[in-house]
Amino acid sequence: MRALLNKLYDENHLTKEEIIYLLQNLDDEHQKILFEYARQTRLKYYGNKVYMRGLIEFSNICKQECLYCGIRASNTKADRYRLSPEEIIHCCETGYQLGYRTFVLQSGEDFWYTEEKLIEIIQSIKALFSDAAITLSIGERSYEVYKNLFEAGVDRFLLRHETASRGLYEKLHPGMSFDNRRNCLQVLKKIGYQVGAGFMVGLPEQTAEDLAEDLCFLKQLDPDMIGIGPYIPHCETPLKGSKGGTVDDTLVMLALTRLLIPECLLPSTTAMGTLDPKGREKALNAGANVVMPNLSPIAVRAKYALYENKICTGDEAAHCRQCIERRIRSIGLEVDMGRGDSLKHKRGQASQLHSYLI
Ligand code: SAM
Ligand code: FES
């Protein structure tokens, strides 16, 4: 086991079989070593910095039926909302004043926000805050729409692959296509976005093989950002009563991800804080380097209920900012309020500039 961890640390590579072996045989002693290697790797690539993103959950209306998700279309108990373009821009204003330079606009798959409406919102945000980055997380759209949104100024796009195992994906996503989801990620990359993929840990029937497949898929895709969180059940979904993921299992996946894709931006998710009051600090200590405090209006926070007992639903944006900052400092890390672009992206820009100059 030690030799395997050393290989992972030195070479940032393991075969699928080695990952499965590691997942099935990792004891407490080696888990500590894994987290330490992940921390060292984060330090080597990104230093002590934790990047802050202001999250705006702008609609909980969704046309999809993901079995695990609390805002799935057929949950008639969900109290639905949409923020107007003005309300979204107002959230960005609040965020900008608090120092944020990345806004993550997330929603269900809500086609009320047409390409035209989205472009208008994006152009308004960019006109007001030209030094801020915009990340979209709105699900699957066509190549044309993705391209036009990119040209309107969107910098990054988050689209978790959810699980890289076809069988499991198809069971969990009725009416959706495994191939299309993966194709969207390729298309987003090709267009020029900084791309985020990712998956949930502890899905019903998920095995060590499935999780190893997730890591192999990510290694191959090489995204700029990787969102990994525990699956947490919601009582108004077909998966109610299922067990859900644990903080410990998610920490192992975060640490492995940091070691396999060392340059990625890796959030410490709200779902981790929901399962454990110290979950976000633990994630940062296992290689994560991004946090996404909430900028959504308090009136809608609890309505964006993907899972139960979500934290921070009653806290003002300024409170969240301070709370997270305190948590980051408490473990000896530093807050970075800059745009926090991925290293890969920065390198791409530098080489473009270089070829322009010579
Ligand atoms: N609709 C967009 C999409 O499909 O990418 C973005 C919003 S979606 C609700 C954001 C993420 O929430 C999903 O990618 C999924 O991984 C996560 N999620 C949904 N239900 C969850 C649950 N019950 N527990 C943990 N995470 C969940
Ligand atoms: Fe919102 Fe702690 S992050 S209160």
Side-chain angles (χ1 to χ4, degrees):
M1 180 61 74
R2 187 64 193 252
L4 213 54
L5 290 174
N6 287 347
K7 175 181 166 192
L8 177 59
Y9 185 51
D10 294 337
E11 299 172 20
N12 304 118
H13 181 80
L14 288 182
T15 63
K16 184 172 173 191
E17 289 64 38
E18 286 171 330
I19 298 173
I20 296 171
Y21 176 84
L22 196 148
L23 290 174
Q24 289 174 337
N25 295 285
L26 192 69
D27 57 19
D28 287 354
E29 181 198 338
H30 289 98
Q31 186 168 304
K32 278 201 193 93
I33 299 170
L34 170 70
F35 293 168
E36 182 54 29
Y37 282 177
R39 258 198 308 276
Q40 290 301 331
T41 304
R42 189 212 38 223
L43 201 64
K44 176 169 156 201
Y45 286 85
Y46 282 100
N48 245 348
K49 297 200 165 93
V50 178
Y51 299 96
M52 302 275 271
R53 322 304 199 184
L55 175 64
I56 302 161
E57 298 158 333
F58 67 91
S59 162
N60 69 352
I61 295 175
C62 191
K63 71 184 179 96
Q64 299 296 2
E65 290 286 7
C66 308
L67 295 194
Y68 45 80
C69 185
I71 61 168
R72 64 200 300 271
S74 62
N75 178 8
T76 51
K77 299 245 175 80
D79 185 1
R80 306 286 174 174
Y81 73 90
R82 279 186 182 117
L83 297 188
S84 67
E86 294 71 29
E87 287 172 312
I88 297 172
I89 293 160
H90 182 68
C91 292
C92 294
E93 256 158 23
T94 308
Y96 195 86
Q97 279 159 17
L98 288 169
Y100 291 100
R101 293 298 177 266
T102 289
F103 302 117
V104 180
L105 273 48
Q106 191 180 78
S107 68
E109 276 197 21
D110 183 357
F111 280 50
W112 181 84
Y113 298 91
T114 56
E115 176 186 338
E116 293 70 30
K117 279 202 185 85
L118 288 167
I119 288 178
E120 229 180 279
I121 295 167
I122 284 141
Q123 288 177 339
S124 309
I125 298 173
K126 282 283 176 171
L128 286 165
F129 315 115
S130 58
D131 58 339
I134 299 179
T135 306
L136 273 189
S137 174
I138 58 170
E140 297 175 27
R141 301 266 176 144
S142 68
Y143 170 80
E144 278 304 310
V145 173
Y146 282 154
K147 189 160 172 292
N148 294 337
L149 292 172
F150 180 74
E151 279 164 11
V154 181
D155 301 88
R156 310 178 187 140
F157 204 102
L158 303 179
L159 187 81
R160 288 188 179 180
H161 66 278
E162 312 296 4
T163 167
S165 301
R166 182 184 290 275
L168 187 57
Y169 184 93
E170 287 175 351
K171 274 191 204 161
L172 294 170
H173 303 94
M176 291 177 79
S177 152
F178 178 72
D179 293 318
N180 191 53
R181 188 102 182 154
R182 290 161 82 109
N183 188 46
C184 283
L185 285 164
Q186 297 295 348
V187 159
L188 290 162
K189 222 177 142 177
K190 193 167 142 234
I191 291 171
Y193 284 99
Q194 293 178 60
V195 172
F199 60 97
M200 278 169 284
V201 180
L203 288 164
E205 295 179 32
Q206 190 180 41
T207 61
E209 282 80 2
D210 293 323
L211 291 168
E213 188 63 35
D214 283 317
L215 295 178
C216 293
F217 171 70
L218 288 168
K219 177 84 187 161
Q220 206 182 9
L221 180 70
D222 192 23
D224 301 272
M225 306 164 287
I226 299 178
I228 299 172
Y231 155 62
I232 305 177
H234 188 294
C235 63
E236 295 298 335
T237 66
L239 298 183
K240 70 174 177 220
S242 53
K243 204 164 132 275
T246 65
V247 168
D248 260 5
D249 288 347
T250 310
L251 291 172
V252 169
M253 298 313 291
L254 286 168
L256 288 172
T257 302
R258 168 59 65 210
L259 286 158
L260 287 166
I261 305 116
E263 292 197 331
C264 74
L265 288 157
L266 192 61
S268 159
T269 59
T270 307
M272 289 295 269
T274 295
L275 289 187
D276 177 342
K278 291 267 178 233
R280 285 170 293 180
E281 289 89 323
K282 288 181 183 172
L284 293 170
N285 275 330
N289 65 339
V290 172
V291 288
M292 295 165 68
N294 209 313
L295 286 178
S296 313
I298 289 191
V300 303
R301 291 267 187 99
K303 297 181 189 173
Y304 198 81
L306 311 179
Y307 48 79
E308 276 159 43
N309 305 318
K310 195 174 153 205
I311 51 168
C312 305
T313 52
D315 302 308
E316 290 290 351
H319 175 85
C320 281
R321 157 96 170 71
Q322 283 163 7
C323 162
I324 291 273
E325 186 157 353
R326 193 164 20 81
R327 289 170 186 275
I328 292 168
R329 292 221 174 108
S330 76
I331 52 170
L333 298 176
E334 234 176 79
V335 170
D336 189 313
M337 293 301 288
R339 277 173 57 110
D341 289 303
S342 79
L343 291 178
K344 197 157 65 117
H345 177 79
K346 281 190 184 162
R347 228 186 3 258
Q349 281 184 325
S351 75
Q352 257 176 15
L353 183 67
H354 181 71
S355 55
Y356 173 78
L357 291 173
I358 56 173

